[in-house]
Amino acid sequence: MHDLDALFAALRSGDRAALGRAITLVESQRESDRTMANDLVSRCMPYSGAGLRLGITGIPGAGKSTLIEALGNALIDRGHRVAVLAIDPSSARTGGSILGDKTRMERLSQRTLAFIRPSPTGGHLGGVAHATRETIILCEAAGYDHVIVETVGAGQSELEVDGMTDLNVLLLIAGAGDELQGMKRGIMESADVIVFNKADGDAKVRAENARRELRGVLDLLPLRPSGRKAELLVASAQDGSGIDELRSVIAQRYQEDRASGSVAVRRAEQSLHWLDRAIDLGLRDLFQGNTVVQQRMAAVRDAVRNGSLSPFAAAEELLVLFRTGGALRP
Ligand SMILES: Nc1nc2c(ncn2[C@@H]2O[C@H](COP(=O)(O)OP(=O)(O)O)[C@@H](O)[C@H]2O)c(=O)[nH]1
Ligand SMILES: [Mg+2]
């Protein structure tokens, strides 16, 4: 397709507007855009995969965007090209993130070697995650060797940022009580680096203490499959402390994982996971779009709600209708 040739060529040449258009295409929910989007992603795949995919998670207000501004600038100063993608359902709802992130990443957004893309709005979380994963491929093909995904790590497994990144950084604020929340929700298991953030002024001592305490707790837990313990750091984007240490810890872990082959293994597992997810979602869409199923759905839901039909029998009935197109309906 002619349009696609031009878009792909422009994207590969590093044209940021073209990258923006390409991302809009993969975010599109329109059926007619899907073929083109799939085509484009397939073409980009051979040119992707060389760079680091980094997740930055933490509750809203943890300082993710501000830290990414600092880290991103430090990476660019060292000759890297940095793309920042935000998945933040809360800000998509209020519509406030775009403005907020632009001001928090003011310097970064002005640099020619950076690309910042706010949350896709609309669509279900599964769709957002899907679009973000494809967007990573597009950014890499456009020449960004660091793709940073900012997400609220509030336990929304649907976001599955862990399913698309090589390394994850969790931001905590000492004394906010979220150390334990993070533990409970299993977020800490997927964190390679945990940063006690906003460690400036009076908060510095508190952050150092929290780091020591958490180290003690984590040392009691069994080793993760990687055989590696999470690195614990203290940082402040405001006074700049700890940022270079964070950058170098990330670089070192990534190099180790590249060398050991675990990045490749992890990405292969992630791809299979997304294949399964895409099939699940596709089947559900087919099922819900089936007219025979639709005609029967309301009655079946009523029956399940009032207890006259078991949910399993109901599902079975609907699935039979789906498979037979209603032919076996008595
Ligand atoms: N004291 C201090 N405040 C910070 C720091 N980083 C961010 N903030 C402030 O915390 C608030 C939330 O920051 P933001 O980066 O938007 O958090 P996000 O929601 O996690 O992306 C803003 O008012 C920032 O100015 C820091 O290192 N120190
Ligand atoms: Mg933010």
Side-chain angles (χ1 to χ4, degrees):
M1 216 184 291
H2 188 72
D3 277 1
L4 199 65
D5 287 343
L7 183 58
F8 176 68
L11 180 150
R12 285 284 297 148
S13 77
D15 176 343
R16 286 197 291 180
L19 175 58
R21 282 200 302 280
I23 295 172
T24 302
L25 185 66
V26 304
E27 284 173 358
S28 167
Q29 316 269 330
R30 299 212 329 248
E31 195 112 338
S32 56
D33 288 335
R34 276 321 311 165
T35 317
M36 214 168 145
N38 285 338
D39 233 356
L40 183 62
V41 173
S42 299
R43 284 221 216 170
C44 287
M45 279 188 56
Y47 303 97
S48 75
L52 166 62
R53 303 166 180 176
L54 181 70
I56 307 266
T57 67
I59 57 168
K64 299 179 291 296
S65 300
T66 313
L67 184 104
I68 291 170
E69 153 92 1
L71 182 64
N73 278 303
L75 287 166
I76 289 175
D77 289 342
R78 292 184 158 248
H80 294 291
R81 297 185 64 195
V82 179
V84 181
L85 312 176
I87 329 180
D88 185 345
S90 63
S91 46
R93 236 189 348 259
T94 62
S97 78
I98 299 166
L99 216 109
D101 287 350
K102 276 265 158 67
T103 49
R104 253 137 234 170
M105 301 191 218
E106 197 173 3
R107 206 156 72 81
L108 191 60
S109 64
Q110 284 164 7
R111 299 189 76 163
T112 50
L113 297 179
F115 178 84
I116 299 177
R117 180 82 177 190
S119 310
T121 46
H124 49 79
L125 286 177
V128 171
H130 172 168
T132 303
R133 186 175 149 86
E134 293 198 318
T135 298
I136 292 174
I137 308 284
L138 300 179
C139 290
E140 289 176 348
Y144 294 92
D145 60 10
H146 279 62
V147 180
I148 302 179
V149 183
E150 173 182 345
T151 181
V152 285
Q156 284 109 326
S157 58
E158 310 93 299
L159 288 182
E160 292 178 294
V161 70
D162 192 37
M164 52 181 106
T165 51
D166 303 317
L167 288 172
N168 291 312
V169 176
L170 171 66
L171 302 193
L172 296 176
I173 314 242
D178 48 17
E179 296 96 320
L180 289 175
Q181 282 170 41
M183 299 284 291
K184 244 196 324 223
R185 291 169 176 159
I187 291 171
M188 292 214 185
E189 273 101 273
S190 66
D192 300 278
V193 183
I194 296 172
V195 177
F196 285 95
N197 199 28
K198 303 196 190 182
D200 37 57
D202 294 347
K204 194 155 190 97
V205 178
R206 234 181 304 139
E208 291 286 1
N209 290 339
R211 163 159 73 167
R212 211 170 312 116
E213 259 171 51
L214 185 61
R215 181 77 283 158
V217 173
L218 291 185
D219 284 348
L220 297 175
L221 296 179
L223 277 180
R224 299 175 313 160
S226 65
R228 222 170 35 185
K229 287 183 184 291
E231 190 88 32
L232 303 189
L233 301 177
V234 161
S236 160
Q238 190 163 284
D239 68 15
S241 63
I243 302 298
D244 202 59
E245 193 184 2
L246 174 62
R247 186 202 51 73
S248 93
V249 163
I250 291 165
Q252 194 193 330
R253 292 225 161 182
Y254 182 59
Q255 266 162 26
E256 284 168 21
D257 289 352
R258 271 273 174 200
S260 73
S262 69
V263 168
V265 170
R266 182 178 161 97
R267 288 183 181 178
E269 283 168 357
Q270 289 173 338
S271 293
L272 288 175
H273 164 80
W274 286 95
L275 169 66
D276 292 342
R277 273 290 303 273
I279 291 173
D280 287 350
L281 288 174
L283 283 175
R284 217 182 52 198
D285 284 351
L286 271 182
F287 180 73
Q288 285 170 349
N290 183 285
T291 39
V292 184
V293 169
Q294 280 171 357
Q295 280 159 11
R296 186 80 187 107
M297 186 61 93
V300 165
R301 290 182 69 88
D302 280 346
V304 169
R305 194 181 292 116
N306 68 30
S308 61
L309 186 62
S310 107
F312 305 106
E316 187 62 32
E317 181 191 333
L318 290 170
L319 286 166
V320 167
L321 280 180
F322 176 64
R323 276 205 306 274
T324 62
L328 292 188
R329 211 173 140 193

